[in-house]
Amino acid sequence: MKDRFYSQILKLVVPIVIQNLLSAAVNSADVVMLNYVGQSSISAVSLAANYASVLFMVFYGLGTGATLLSAQYWGKKDLQAIRVVEGIALRFSVLITLVFSGFAAFAPELMMRLFTPDVELIQIGAGYLRVMSVTYLCWSIIEIYLAILRSIGKVTVSMVLNILAFSLNILLNAVFIFGLFGAPKLGATGVAIATAISRIVELLGCIFVSMALSKDLKLNLAYMFIRNKALLKDFIHLSLPALGNDISWSVAFSMYSVILGHLGTDAVAANSLVIVVRNFGTVLCFGTASAGGILLGNVMGEGDMERAKEYASKLMKLTVITGAIGGVLILIATPFVMHFASLSETAMHYLKYMLLINTYYVMGAAVNTTLIAGVFRAGGDTRFGLICDTIDMWCYAVPLGFIAAFVFKLPVLWVYFLLCTDEFVKWPWVIKRYRSGKWLKNITREDLFAQAEK
């Protein structure tokens, strides 16, 4: 049993971690290359990217609903149910993204003003957002299809597509930022163009995989029009709390950038580099959480709750180990980042201590992500995360940050430190929920399509 768990989790973790590393590498490449353009470009792209972070959480929430249903139905080998789930997730994803893309294309200045009053940052960020409007639409389809593929264990296909897109993105970043091969030097806008082209290529790759390689599931927009009231009800019941959870958390986390954005460009620039390093530090623990959620969903779909409980216990031990590794990686990376960063003296001071704060912060994030977004969601327990994160972020962390920054006017590093207590405040409730075992559920239905026909 032990060997089976670790062999299964390894097959899922490795491709997911590689994808997360590549994603972090692209973000890192953006920041490193923009570092040679100027601090304003780094800051503007960092602030504008908060919208992509929110949108990613939308995709993640919808993908979570699709994944947890698909993973359990894959345990039952019910492909038709998975096709319906894919169509439902695509409907929500495309419609929500159309709204985001509309604002990014036609009102980008307004979107930037929410984060900063700096005219230069608004102008740079607006140009970035206009181009990104195209990227968002492609992304809305890609993320859902890849989530479905991962839920049935096809993580390697997803990894290959991400390698293609991310490698192209880094190459094109260099071309458009530095004006290589006769291309114009476009700075921050060049980053957006590179991202848009790479996403279009990735979407074409998904279509190719669907047509030529995937025998089980297609990327078929016709699935959006399949009607099944029972599955729609289950998807809404499970996915919307997860979606609400992720949006609530990501918008609240974006408020951290709003707070820092009003404390000066030095704080914003330092935080931009910190986010990149933290992303590298968390790839292993977050990959373990994602893989664990898929594996637990498959097992619960088979109806083996005792094995699911045992797997969850082993997953938690892995999470603590990977969280510790993440903190050590950030600590090791700190002197290298400090050596190569090209920021003002004040920003460099902020950067050093923000990185040190994150050496322990990743452990809090690792445990909570594994339990809330991995273990609990695998059994369909999505409401707890919504309630827990909303209270933690909106009743504790965000108000605390605003009060610290604008009422007591504490130094930037004290404000940042207080914001980074959010993950540890919710530990007692999250761990108590885990020990209760209320998340152990088989959420599949019997005779699903026979019911739909009646």
Side-chain angles (χ1 to χ4, degrees):
M1 186 76 73
K2 180 178 179 180
D3 290 339
R4 186 180 177 189
F5 169 79
Y6 288 110
S7 63
Q8 287 179 308
I9 202 75
L10 187 64
K11 288 179 182 177
L12 293 170
V13 165
V14 172
I16 291 174
V17 167
I18 290 174
Q19 290 176 63
N20 291 343
L21 277 172
L22 288 169
S23 179
V26 171
N27 294 333
S28 176
D30 290 350
V31 173
V32 169
M33 293 179 193
L34 287 173
N35 182 55
Y36 293 97
V37 177
Q39 184 169 305
S40 294
S41 292
I42 296 177
S43 300
V45 170
S46 173
L47 293 175
N50 279 292
Y51 288 103
S53 298
V54 172
L55 196 53
F56 174 76
M57 286 300 164
V58 172
F59 301 148
Y60 187 77
L62 293 173
T64 295
T67 297
L68 65 90
L69 278 169
S70 298
Q72 291 215 10
Y73 278 110
W74 182 248
K76 294 183 69 173
K77 302 303 178 186
D78 190 342
L79 284 177
Q80 182 59 17
I82 298 174
R83 294 185 187 104
V84 176
V85 170
E86 179 186 337
I88 293 169
L90 282 171
R91 281 206 302 271
F92 281 101
S93 180
V94 171
L95 287 174
I96 293 171
T97 306
L98 283 172
V99 176
F100 261 82
S101 293
F103 275 103
F106 302 110
E109 292 86 0
L110 177 62
M111 296 172 73
M112 286 300 299
R113 285 193 190 99
L114 294 177
F115 288 101
T116 179
D118 190 296
V119 176
E120 184 184 8
L121 297 188
I122 290 173
Q123 183 180 6
I124 295 171
Y128 174 87
L129 284 171
R130 283 192 184 93
V131 179
M132 288 296 291
S133 63
V134 177
T135 303
Y136 297 153
L137 286 172
C138 296
W139 203 15
S140 68
I141 299 172
I142 293 167
E143 286 299 319
I144 297 301
Y145 184 58
L146 295 186
I148 295 292
L149 289 181
R150 285 192 292 267
S151 72
I152 64 172
K154 293 188 177 296
V155 289
T156 303
V157 175
S158 176
M159 179 191 71
V160 171
L161 289 171
N162 282 154
I163 288 174
L164 171 67
F166 293 150
S167 300
L168 182 61
N169 196 351
I170 292 175
L171 174 63
L172 292 177
N173 275 341
V175 170
F176 291 118
I177 290 175
F178 300 119
L180 303 180
F181 310 114
K185 293 183 179 181
L186 299 174
T189 303
V191 173
I193 293 173
T195 304
I197 294 173
S198 64
R199 288 297 182 189
I200 292 171
V201 171
E202 187 176 14
L203 180 57
L204 293 174
C206 288
I207 295 171
F208 172 78
V209 167
S210 173
M211 294 174 61
L213 302 178
S214 180
K215 298 178 181 179
D216 300 310
L217 289 167
K218 303 291 185 182
L219 174 54
N220 191 343
L221 296 182
Y223 292 165
M224 296 171 64
F225 304 101
I226 301 176
R227 302 298 183 208
N228 187 289
K229 291 183 180 179
L231 274 176
L232 178 60
K233 179 180 178 181
D234 287 345
F235 184 86
I236 291 173
H237 176 72
L238 297 169
S239 187
L240 290 191
L243 174 60
N245 183 184
D246 293 333
I247 292 176
S248 175
W249 183 90
S250 61
V251 172
F253 201 74
S254 295
M255 288 298 103
Y256 295 5
S257 294
V258 172
I259 294 168
L260 293 173
H262 285 79
L263 294 179
T265 57
D266 288 322
V268 174
N271 189 48
S272 301
L273 289 175
V274 169
I275 290 171
V276 171
V277 179
R278 183 171 62 211
N279 287 343
F280 276 109
T282 56
V283 289
L284 182 58
C285 46
F286 287 3
T288 302
S290 298
I294 293 169
L295 182 56
L296 287 174
N298 292 158
V299 173
M300 282 187 270
E302 295 170 2
D304 193 343
M305 297 304 166
E306 284 303 315
R307 185 154 59 102
K309 191 173 182 179
E310 182 181 349
Y311 279 11
S313 177
K314 292 177 179 178
L315 181 64
M316 280 306 301
K317 293 175 183 177
L318 279 179
T319 298
V320 172
I321 294 171
T322 56
I325 292 172
V328 172
L329 288 175
I330 292 176
L331 187 62
I332 292 172
T334 297
F336 295 97
V337 175
M338 295 299 297
H339 177 73
F340 290 104
S342 179
L343 304 177
S344 68
E345 184 178 348
T346 301
M348 293 292 284
H349 175 71
Y350 293 158
L351 175 61
K352 177 181 177 180
Y353 289 99
M354 285 179 174
L355 287 171
L356 291 176
I357 289 170
N358 275 274
T359 58
Y360 70 83
Y361 183 74
V362 293
M363 178 63 78
V367 171
N368 288 324
T369 300
T370 297
L371 289 176
I372 294 175
V375 174
F376 298 167
R377 289 185 180 184
D381 186 6
T382 56
R383 290 185 62 194
F384 174 81
L386 171 62
I387 296 169
C388 180
D389 279 339
T390 300
I391 292 174
D392 176 58
M393 298 297 279
W394 290 104
C395 298
Y396 170 76
V398 172
L400 178 65
F402 274 101
I403 291 170
F406 306 120
V407 176
F408 292 108
K409 300 185 184 300
L410 295 180
V412 169
L413 289 175
W414 273 106
V415 174
Y416 188 80
F417 169 77
L418 291 172
L419 288 172
C420 288
T421 60
D422 64 317
E423 294 288 354
F424 298 97
V425 167
K426 59 188 177 187
W427 261 19
W429 291 272
V430 173
I431 294 172
K432 181 181 178 181
R433 183 71 171 187
Y434 166 69
R435 290 176 175 171
S436 74
K438 293 180 180 179
W439 49 271
L440 278 165
K441 296 177 184 177
N442 184 331
I443 57 176
T444 61
R445 294 175 182 261
E446 300 293 336
D447 302 320
L448 185 63
F449 297 99
Q451 295 175 20
E453 292 171 359
K454 294 180 180 180

